[in-house]
Each structure stands twice: as structure tokens, then as C-alpha cells.
Amino acid sequence: ELKVEQNPLFLSMQEGKNYTIYCNYSTTSDRLYWYRQDPGKSLESLFVLLSNGAVKQEGRLMASLDTKARLSTLHITAAVHDLSATYFCAVDIRKGGSEKLVFGKGTKLTVNP
Amino acid sequence: GAGVSQSPSNKVTEKGKDVELRCDPISGHTALYWYRQSLGQGLEFLIYFQGNSAPDKSGLPSDRFSAERTGGSVSTLTIQRTQQEDSAVYLCASSPQWRSTQYFGPGTRLTVL
């Protein structure tokens, strides 16, 4: 059974600081997503990582993928309050003609002034 | 353009009643997914539709759950004889083709009393 583990699950940080969220998964996949969820809201796509060594950046967030290590990271640079949200990684799994996303449990990020 | 829409946004029902949840995907998207989000289980895959192919129902938790997609567009998730453990947020997502980014709707919050 595929497992997707995120850590930490809770992260409280000060504005201006840097931090990294880790996402480990237990089976091979060549596609990994990061989503953001604000309280009471749905999931917003942030990044899709398609190959080993892929790196994507948007503003203060940068995501990377190492398919050999089965590890993705989401790095936060100089955090600001607006980044407070829950972040999910999700591994794309194909089986036959079907596909689905398997999600980590999420990292709840709180950025304090 | 219009995103994925779901209705109702909230549904409160009594144990043992049947409920229907509706999803309108983004126009032109051929793939449609249902997921469930609960505190205890996180985000779980339920069912996948792709075009006219047979759906992948492998994530449905019991035979009380069923889903259909009419005309390759709107989908309805039906839960019969609801139980308290069915309480969750039910999220629908669509994507333009197989193995591309899934765009999520706002969800239906189901509460079973």
C-alpha cells in the first residue's frame, strides 16, 4: 500500500524565516503535486513536478523532486503571514487506465508576525 | 473561466437517509474524480471517471456509495443509508486529460446526525 508521509504536520514560524516541508512516498511515481488549502476552502494547485530533479518556484515557495529518494521538498523563503495555510503533497498513481492522487496528511503552517 | 462547482455546499442529514451530491466539472475536462476529506482519514480517493471508460470505483468505502457521470459531464455521488462515519467534506476534481493537474471544487460538507 502506498504511503505518503509529510513532516512536520504542524509548523509555526516567524515572518522572515526559512523552512522546508518534506514529503516521502513509498512507491515509484514520476509525478508529484503540491496543493494549498486555506481554512474552509478547497485545494489550490501550487506545483506539479514531473521528473527527477525537477524544481519549480513561485514567489517565496520552491518545490523539488528526487524520484530516486522518493522525496519532495517545499521550501519557504522569508515567510510572510499570507503563506499561513495547510500544504499537501500528493503522489500521482497510475494503475491500468486509471489514476488517482494519494495525499499526505498535510502540513499546517502558521506564520507569526 | 468557471471552475469546478459542487452542490449543495452543506448538507445535514439524519442517519439512515440517502443523500446525493452533485459536481459540475470544468467545461471540456474529460477526467473527473471524487475524494473525501475527514479529520481522521485525511484526503481519500473515492472514484475516477475518464470519458466513456468504465469508472475506477476502487476507493468507494462500501456498497452504500455509488456515483455516475451523465453525458461525460455532471457527476452525482450517492450515499445510501448514511452513517455517522460518512460525515466529511466530499471534494470533486476535474482535469483536462489523463495525468494532468486536477482542479478541485469547493466541496460539500456532509454532516450525518
Side-chain angles (χ1 to χ4, degrees):
Chain A
E1 180 186 347
L2 170 64
K3 292 184 180 178
V4 180
E5 295 183 350
Q6 279 184 244
N7 70 85
L9 298 182
F10 297 92
L11 175 56
S12 180
M13 57 190 298
Q14 285 187 310
E15 282 190 328
K17 299 293 188 183
N18 304 331
Y19 208 82
T20 299
I21 299 169
Y22 297 87
C23 174
N24 289 89
Y25 53 98
S26 62
T27 194
T28 55
S29 175
D30 61 355
R31 190 169 297 236
L32 187 139
Y33 296 85
W34 284 94
Y35 284 88
R36 167 179 171 148
Q37 187 175 39
D38 291 287
K41 304 291 186 181
S42 191
L43 295 160
E44 173 191 356
S45 175
L46 294 175
F47 301 108
V48 53
L49 302 166
L50 300 177
S51 61
N52 187 43
V55 176
K56 294 275 185 76
Q57 182 162 5
E58 180 73 32
R60 301 175 187 274
L61 300 177
M62 184 173 70
S64 67
L65 178 62
D66 181 343
T67 57
K68 294 179 181 177
R70 298 178 186 172
L71 170 68
S72 180
T73 62
L74 181 67
H75 186 72
I76 303 154
T77 301
V80 292
H81 179 69
D82 285 352
L83 291 179
S84 296
T86 299
Y87 293 86
F88 293 91
C89 64
V91 175
D92 183 280
I93 297 297
R94 287 179 293 168
K95 187 174 182 183
S98 180
E99 69 158 331
K100 64 181 179 182
L101 294 179
V102 179
F103 286 85
K105 291 192 179 298
T107 297
K108 184 174 181 180
L109 172 65
T110 303
V111 181
N112 302 304
Chain B
V4 177
S5 61
Q6 293 186 244
S7 60
S9 55
N10 281 285
K11 177 71 176 179
V12 180
T13 191
E14 293 179 347
K15 179 181 172 181
K17 300 284 190 183
D18 298 351
V19 295
E20 285 189 351
L21 313 180
R22 177 187 169 104
C23 171
D24 282 89
I26 294 171
S27 178
H29 281 196
T30 59
L32 187 146
Y33 313 76
W34 284 95
Y35 294 86
R36 177 169 73 173
Q37 185 173 28
S38 60
L39 280 175
Q41 301 299 321
L43 275 152
E44 305 172 278
F45 165 80
L46 296 177
I47 190 168
Y48 163 69
F49 294 92
Q50 172 60 43
N52 295 319
S53 302
D56 175 3
K57 304 179 183 179
S58 61
L60 295 178
S62 78
D63 58 7
R64 296 185 295 104
F65 288 72
S66 63
E68 63 176 19
R69 188 178 185 190
T70 54
S73 181
V74 171
S75 178
T76 303
L77 178 68
T78 301
I79 309 172
Q80 295 179 311
R81 305 181 302 282
T82 52
Q83 303 295 312
Q84 288 183 333
E85 61 262 29
D86 300 334
S87 296
V89 177
Y90 290 81
L91 292 164
C92 175
S94 70
S95 66
Q97 59 189 22
W98 191 55
R99 304 211 81 204
S100 58
T101 298
Q102 297 180 27
Y103 297 90
F104 284 79
T108 294
R109 180 174 297 276
L110 175 66
T111 303
V112 182
L113 302 176

Coordinates of all heavy atoms in Angstrom, one line a residue, chain A residues 29-31 33 35 37 40-45 47-48 50 88 92-105, chain B residues 6 31 33 35 37 40-45 48 50 56 58 91-92 95 97-107 109:
Chain A
S29 N 6.9 6.8 -8.6 CA 5.9 7.7 -9.3 C 6.7 8.8 -9.9 O 7.8 9.2 -9.4 CB 4.9 8.4 -8.3 OG 4.1 9.3 -9.0
D30 N 6.3 9.2 -11.1 CA 7.0 10.2 -11.8 C 6.3 11.6 -11.8 O 6.6 12.4 -12.6 CB 7.3 9.8 -13.3 CG 6.0 9.5 -14.0 OD1 4.9 9.6 -13.4 OD2 6.1 9.3 -15.2
R31 N 5.3 11.7 -10.9 CA 4.5 12.9 -10.9 C 4.1 13.2 -9.5 O 3.5 12.3 -8.8 CB 3.3 12.7 -11.8 CG 2.5 13.9 -12.1 CD 1.5 13.6 -13.2 NE 2.2 13.3 -14.4 CZ 2.1 13.9 -15.6 NH1 1.2 14.9 -15.6 NH2 2.7 13.5 -16.7
Y33 N 2.4 16.4 -6.9 CA 1.8 17.7 -6.8 C 1.9 18.3 -5.4 O 2.0 17.5 -4.4 CB 0.3 17.6 -7.1 CG 0.0 17.1 -8.5 CD1 0.0 15.8 -8.8 CD2 -0.3 18.0 -9.5 CE1 -0.3 15.3 -10.1 CE2 -0.6 17.6 -10.8 CZ -0.6 16.3 -11.1 OH -0.9 15.8 -12.4
Y35 N -0.3 21.1 -3.2 CA -1.6 21.9 -3.1 C -1.6 22.7 -1.8 O -1.0 22.3 -0.8 CB -2.8 21.0 -3.1 CG -3.2 20.4 -4.4 CD1 -2.6 19.2 -4.8 CD2 -4.1 21.0 -5.2 CE1 -3.0 18.6 -6.0 CE2 -4.5 20.4 -6.5 CZ -3.9 19.2 -6.8 OH -4.3 18.7 -8.0
Q37 N -4.3 24.6 0.9 CA -5.7 24.7 1.4 C -5.8 25.7 2.5 O -5.2 25.6 3.6 CB -6.2 23.3 1.8 CG -7.7 23.3 2.1 CD -8.3 22.0 2.5 OE1 -7.6 21.2 3.2 NE2 -9.5 21.6 2.0
G40 N -11.5 26.2 5.5 CA -12.8 26.2 4.9 C -12.9 26.3 3.4 O -13.9 26.5 2.8
K41 N -11.7 26.3 2.8 CA -11.6 26.4 1.3 C -11.2 25.1 0.7 O -10.9 24.1 1.4 CB -10.6 27.5 1.0 CG -10.9 28.8 1.6 CD -12.2 29.5 1.0 CE -12.3 30.9 1.5 NZ -13.6 31.5 1.0
S42 N -11.2 25.1 -0.6 CA -10.8 23.9 -1.3 C -9.3 23.9 -1.6 O -8.6 24.7 -1.1 CB -11.6 23.8 -2.6 OG -11.4 22.5 -3.2
L43 N -8.9 23.0 -2.4 CA -7.4 22.8 -2.7 C -7.0 23.6 -3.9 O -7.7 23.5 -4.9 CB -7.1 21.3 -2.9 CG -7.3 20.4 -1.7 CD1 -7.5 19.0 -2.2 CD2 -6.2 20.5 -0.8
E44 N -6.0 24.3 -3.8 CA -5.4 25.1 -4.9 C -4.1 24.5 -5.3 O -3.2 24.3 -4.5 CB -5.2 26.6 -4.4 CG -4.5 27.4 -5.4 CD -4.0 28.8 -4.8 OE1 -4.3 29.0 -3.6 OE2 -3.4 29.6 -5.5
S45 N -4.0 24.2 -6.6 CA -2.8 23.7 -7.1 C -1.6 24.7 -7.1 O -1.8 25.8 -7.5 CB -3.0 23.2 -8.6 OG -1.8 22.7 -9.1
F47 N 2.1 23.4 -7.5 CA 3.2 22.9 -8.3 C 2.9 21.5 -8.8 O 2.3 20.7 -8.1 CB 4.5 22.8 -7.6 CG 5.0 24.1 -7.0 CD1 5.0 24.4 -5.7 CD2 5.5 25.1 -7.9 CE1 5.5 25.6 -5.2 CE2 6.0 26.3 -7.4 CZ 5.9 26.6 -6.0
V48 N 3.3 21.2 -10.0 CA 3.4 19.8 -10.5 C 4.8 19.5 -10.8 O 5.4 20.3 -11.6 CB 2.4 19.5 -11.6 CG1 2.6 20.5 -12.8 CG2 2.5 18.1 -12.1
L50 N 7.4 16.8 -12.5 CA 7.2 15.7 -13.5 C 8.4 14.8 -13.7 O 8.3 13.8 -14.3 CB 6.8 16.3 -14.8 CG 5.6 17.2 -14.9 CD1 5.4 17.7 -16.3 CD2 4.4 16.3 -14.5
F88 N -0.4 20.3 1.2 CA -0.5 18.9 0.9 C 0.4 18.5 -0.2 O 0.4 19.2 -1.3 CB -1.9 18.5 0.6 CG -2.9 18.6 1.7 CD1 -3.6 19.7 1.8 CD2 -3.1 17.5 2.5 CE1 -4.6 19.8 2.8 CE2 -4.1 17.6 3.6 CZ -4.8 18.8 3.7
D92 N 0.9 11.0 -7.7 CA 0.0 10.5 -8.8 C 0.3 9.0 -9.0 O 1.4 8.7 -9.3 CB 0.3 11.3 -10.1 CG -0.6 10.9 -11.2 OD1 -0.3 9.9 -11.9 OD2 -1.6 11.7 -11.5
I93 N -0.7 8.2 -8.9 CA -0.6 6.8 -9.1 C -1.4 6.3 -10.3 O -2.6 6.6 -10.4 CB -1.1 6.1 -7.8 CG1 -0.2 6.4 -6.7 CG2 -1.1 4.5 -8.1 CD1 1.2 6.1 -6.8
R94 N -0.8 5.6 -11.2 CA -1.5 5.0 -12.3 C -1.6 3.5 -12.1 O -0.7 2.9 -11.6 CB -0.6 5.2 -13.6 CG -0.6 6.6 -14.2 CD 0.3 6.6 -15.4 NE 1.7 6.3 -15.1 CZ 2.6 6.0 -16.0 NH1 2.2 6.0 -17.3 NH2 3.8 5.8 -15.7
K95 N -2.8 3.0 -12.5 CA -3.0 1.6 -12.5 C -3.9 1.2 -13.6 O -5.1 1.6 -13.6 CB -3.6 1.1 -11.1 CG -3.6 -0.4 -11.0 CD -4.1 -0.8 -9.6 CE -4.1 -2.3 -9.5 NZ -4.6 -2.7 -8.1
G96 N -3.4 0.5 -14.6 CA -4.2 0.2 -15.7 C -4.6 1.6 -16.4 O -3.7 2.4 -16.6
G97 N -5.8 1.8 -16.7 CA -6.2 3.0 -17.3 C -6.7 4.0 -16.3 O -7.3 5.1 -16.7
S98 N -6.5 3.8 -15.1 CA -7.0 4.7 -14.0 C -5.8 5.5 -13.4 O -4.7 5.1 -13.5 CB -7.7 3.9 -12.9 OG -8.2 4.7 -11.9
E99 N -6.2 6.5 -12.7 CA -5.2 7.3 -12.0 C -5.9 7.9 -10.8 O -7.1 8.1 -10.8 CB -4.5 8.3 -12.8 CG -5.4 9.5 -13.2 CD -4.6 10.8 -13.5 OE1 -3.5 11.0 -13.0 OE2 -5.1 11.6 -14.3
K100 N -5.1 8.2 -9.8 CA -5.6 8.9 -8.6 C -4.5 9.6 -7.9 O -3.3 9.3 -8.2 CB -6.3 7.9 -7.6 CG -5.3 6.9 -7.0 CD -6.0 5.9 -6.1 CE -5.0 4.9 -5.6 NZ -5.7 3.9 -4.7
L101 N -4.8 10.5 -7.0 CA -3.8 11.1 -6.2 C -3.9 10.5 -4.8 O -5.0 10.3 -4.2 CB -4.1 12.6 -6.1 CG -3.9 13.5 -7.4 CD1 -4.2 14.9 -7.1 CD2 -2.5 13.3 -7.9
V102 N -2.7 10.2 -4.2 CA -2.6 9.8 -2.8 C -2.0 10.9 -2.1 O -0.8 11.3 -2.4 CB -1.8 8.5 -2.7 CG1 -1.7 8.1 -1.2 CG2 -2.5 7.4 -3.5
F103 N -2.7 11.4 -1.1 CA -2.2 12.6 -0.4 C -1.5 12.3 0.9 O -1.8 11.3 1.6 CB -3.5 13.5 0.0 CG -4.1 14.2 -1.2 CD1 -5.0 13.6 -2.0 CD2 -3.7 15.5 -1.5 CE1 -5.5 14.3 -3.1 CE2 -4.3 16.2 -2.5 CZ -5.2 15.6 -3.3
G104 N -0.6 13.2 1.3 CA 0.0 13.2 2.6 C -1.1 13.8 3.5 O -2.1 14.3 3.1
K105 N -0.8 13.8 4.8 CA -1.7 14.3 5.8 C -1.8 15.8 5.9 O -2.6 16.4 6.6 CB -1.4 13.7 7.2 CG -1.7 12.2 7.3 CD -1.7 11.7 8.7 CE -2.0 10.2 8.7 NZ -3.4 9.9 8.2
Chain B
Q6 N -19.8 22.6 -7.0 CA -20.4 21.5 -6.3 C -21.7 22.0 -5.5 O -21.7 23.1 -5.1 CB -19.4 20.8 -5.3 CG -18.3 20.1 -5.9 CD -17.4 19.4 -4.9 OE1 -16.2 19.8 -4.7 NE2 -18.0 18.4 -4.2
A31 N -11.7 14.1 -17.4 CA -11.5 13.3 -16.2 C -12.2 13.9 -15.0 O -12.1 15.2 -14.9 CB -10.0 13.1 -16.0
Y33 N -13.0 13.2 -10.7 CA -12.6 12.5 -9.5 C -13.5 12.9 -8.4 O -13.8 14.1 -8.2 CB -11.1 12.7 -9.2 CG -10.1 12.7 -10.3 CD1 -10.0 13.7 -11.2 CD2 -9.3 11.6 -10.4 CE1 -9.1 13.7 -12.2 CE2 -8.3 11.6 -11.5 CZ -8.3 12.6 -12.4 OH -7.3 12.6 -13.4
Y35 N -13.1 12.8 -4.1 CA -12.3 12.5 -2.9 C -13.1 12.8 -1.7 O -14.1 13.6 -1.7 CB -11.0 13.3 -2.9 CG -10.0 13.0 -4.0 CD1 -10.2 13.6 -5.2 CD2 -9.0 12.2 -3.8 CE1 -9.2 13.4 -6.3 CE2 -8.1 11.9 -4.8 CZ -8.2 12.5 -6.0 OH -7.3 12.2 -7.0
Q37 N -12.6 14.2 2.4 CA -11.6 14.7 3.4 C -12.3 14.7 4.8 O -13.3 15.3 5.0 CB -11.2 16.1 3.0 CG -10.2 16.7 3.9 CD -9.7 18.1 3.5 OE1 -10.4 18.8 2.8 NE2 -8.4 18.4 3.8
G40 N -10.1 12.3 10.6 CA -9.4 11.1 10.9 C -8.6 10.4 9.8 O -7.5 9.9 10.0
Q41 N -9.1 10.5 8.6 CA -8.5 9.8 7.4 C -7.8 10.7 6.4 O -7.2 10.2 5.5 CB -9.7 9.0 6.7 CG -10.4 8.0 7.6 CD -9.5 7.0 8.1 OE1 -8.6 6.5 7.4 NE2 -9.6 6.6 9.4
G42 N -7.9 12.0 6.6 CA -7.3 12.9 5.6 C -8.0 12.8 4.3 O -9.2 12.7 4.3
L43 N -7.3 13.0 3.2 CA -7.9 13.1 1.9 C -7.8 11.7 1.2 O -6.7 11.1 1.1 CB -7.1 14.0 1.0 CG -7.5 15.5 1.1 CD1 -6.4 16.4 0.8 CD2 -8.7 15.8 0.2
E44 N -9.0 11.1 0.9 CA -9.0 9.8 0.3 C -9.7 9.8 -1.1 O -10.7 10.4 -1.2 CB -9.9 8.8 1.2 CG -9.5 8.7 2.6 CD -10.6 8.0 3.4 OE1 -11.6 8.6 3.7 OE2 -10.4 6.7 3.6
F45 N -9.1 9.1 -2.0 CA -9.7 8.9 -3.3 C -10.9 8.0 -3.2 O -10.9 7.0 -2.5 CB -8.7 8.2 -4.2 CG -9.2 7.6 -5.5 CD1 -9.5 8.4 -6.6 CD2 -9.5 6.3 -5.6 CE1 -10.0 7.9 -7.7 CE2 -9.9 5.7 -6.8 CZ -10.2 6.5 -7.8
Y48 N -13.0 7.5 -10.0 CA -12.4 8.2 -11.1 C -13.2 7.9 -12.4 O -13.5 6.7 -12.6 CB -11.0 7.8 -11.3 CG -10.3 8.1 -12.6 CD1 -10.0 9.4 -13.0 CD2 -10.0 7.0 -13.4 CE1 -9.4 9.6 -14.2 CE2 -9.3 7.3 -14.6 CZ -9.0 8.6 -15.0 OH -8.3 8.8 -16.2
Q50 N -13.2 8.7 -16.6 CA -12.5 9.2 -17.7 C -13.3 8.9 -19.0 O -13.4 7.8 -19.4 CB -11.1 8.6 -17.8 CG -10.3 8.9 -19.1 CD -10.0 10.4 -19.3 OE1 -9.7 11.1 -18.3 NE2 -10.2 10.9 -20.5
D56 N -13.3 3.8 -12.3 CA -12.5 3.1 -11.3 C -13.1 3.4 -9.9 O -13.0 4.5 -9.4 CB -11.0 3.6 -11.3 CG -10.2 3.0 -10.1 OD1 -10.7 2.2 -9.4 OD2 -9.0 3.4 -10.0
S58 N -12.5 1.8 -7.1 CA -11.8 1.1 -6.1 C -11.7 1.8 -4.8 O -11.4 1.1 -3.7 CB -10.4 0.8 -6.6 OG -9.7 2.0 -6.9
L91 N -15.1 16.2 -1.9 CA -14.4 17.1 -2.9 C -14.5 16.4 -4.3 O -14.2 15.2 -4.4 CB -13.0 17.4 -2.6 CG -12.8 18.2 -1.3 CD1 -11.3 18.1 -0.8 CD2 -13.1 19.6 -1.6
C92 N -14.8 17.2 -5.3 CA -14.8 16.8 -6.7 C -13.7 17.5 -7.4 O -13.4 18.7 -7.1 CB -16.1 17.1 -7.3 SG -16.3 16.8 -9.1
S95 N -9.9 17.2 -14.5 CA -8.7 17.6 -15.2 C -9.0 17.4 -16.7 O -9.8 16.7 -17.1 CB -7.5 16.7 -14.8 OG -7.7 15.3 -15.1
Q97 N -7.3 16.1 -19.1 CA -7.0 14.8 -19.7 C -6.3 14.0 -18.7 O -6.0 14.4 -17.6 CB -6.1 15.0 -20.9 CG -4.7 15.7 -20.6 CD -4.0 16.0 -21.8 OE1 -4.5 16.1 -22.9 NE2 -2.7 16.2 -21.7
W98 N -6.1 12.7 -19.1 CA -5.4 11.8 -18.2 C -4.1 12.3 -17.7 O -3.3 12.8 -18.6 CB -5.3 10.4 -18.9 CG -4.9 9.3 -18.0 CD1 -5.5 8.9 -16.9 CD2 -3.8 8.4 -18.2 NE1 -4.8 7.8 -16.4 CE2 -3.8 7.5 -17.2 CE3 -2.8 8.3 -19.2 CZ2 -2.9 6.4 -17.1 CZ3 -1.9 7.3 -19.2 CH2 -1.9 6.4 -18.1
R99 N -3.8 12.2 -16.5 CA -2.4 12.6 -16.0 C -2.1 14.1 -16.2 O -1.0 14.5 -16.6 CB -1.3 11.8 -16.6 CG -1.5 10.3 -16.4 CD -0.2 9.6 -16.3 NE 0.3 9.7 -14.9 CZ 1.6 9.7 -14.6 NH1 2.5 9.5 -15.5 NH2 2.0 9.8 -13.4
S100 N -3.1 14.9 -15.9 CA -2.8 16.3 -15.8 C -3.4 16.9 -14.5 O -4.1 16.2 -13.8 CB -3.3 17.1 -17.0 OG -4.7 16.9 -17.1
T101 N -3.0 18.1 -14.2 CA -3.4 18.7 -12.9 C -4.9 18.6 -12.6 O -5.7 18.9 -13.5 CB -2.9 20.2 -12.8 OG1 -1.5 20.2 -13.0 CG2 -3.3 20.8 -11.5
Q102 N -5.2 18.2 -11.4 CA -6.6 18.1 -11.0 C -7.0 19.4 -10.3 O -6.3 19.9 -9.5 CB -6.8 16.9 -10.0 CG -6.5 15.6 -10.7 CD -6.7 14.4 -9.7 OE1 -7.5 14.5 -8.8 NE2 -6.0 13.3 -10.0
Y103 N -8.1 20.0 -10.8 CA -8.7 21.2 -10.2 C -9.9 20.9 -9.3 O -10.8 20.2 -9.8 CB -9.1 22.1 -11.3 CG -7.9 22.6 -12.2 CD1 -7.5 21.8 -13.3 CD2 -7.1 23.7 -11.8 CE1 -6.4 22.2 -14.1 CE2 -6.0 24.0 -12.6 CZ -5.6 23.3 -13.7 OH -4.5 23.6 -14.4
F104 N -9.8 21.3 -8.1 CA -10.8 20.9 -7.1 C -11.9 21.9 -7.0 O -11.7 23.2 -7.1 CB -10.1 20.7 -5.8 CG -9.3 19.5 -5.6 CD1 -8.1 19.3 -6.2 CD2 -9.9 18.4 -5.0 CE1 -7.4 18.1 -6.1 CE2 -9.2 17.2 -4.9 CZ -7.9 17.1 -5.5
G105 N -13.1 21.4 -6.7 CA -14.2 22.2 -6.4 C -14.2 22.6 -4.9 O -13.3 22.2 -4.1
P106 N -15.2 23.4 -4.5 CA -15.2 23.9 -3.1 C -15.7 22.9 -2.1 O -15.5 23.1 -0.9 CB -16.3 25.1 -3.2 CG -17.2 24.7 -4.3 CD -16.3 24.0 -5.3
G107 N -16.2 21.8 -2.5 CA -16.6 20.7 -1.6 C -18.0 20.8 -1.1 O -18.7 21.8 -1.2
R109 N -19.9 19.8 2.4 CA -19.7 19.3 3.8 C -20.9 18.5 4.2 O -22.0 19.1 4.3 CB -19.5 20.5 4.8 CG -19.3 20.1 6.2 CD -18.9 21.2 7.1 NE -17.6 21.8 6.7 CZ -16.4 21.4 7.1 NH1 -16.4 20.3 7.9 NH2 -15.4 22.0 6.7

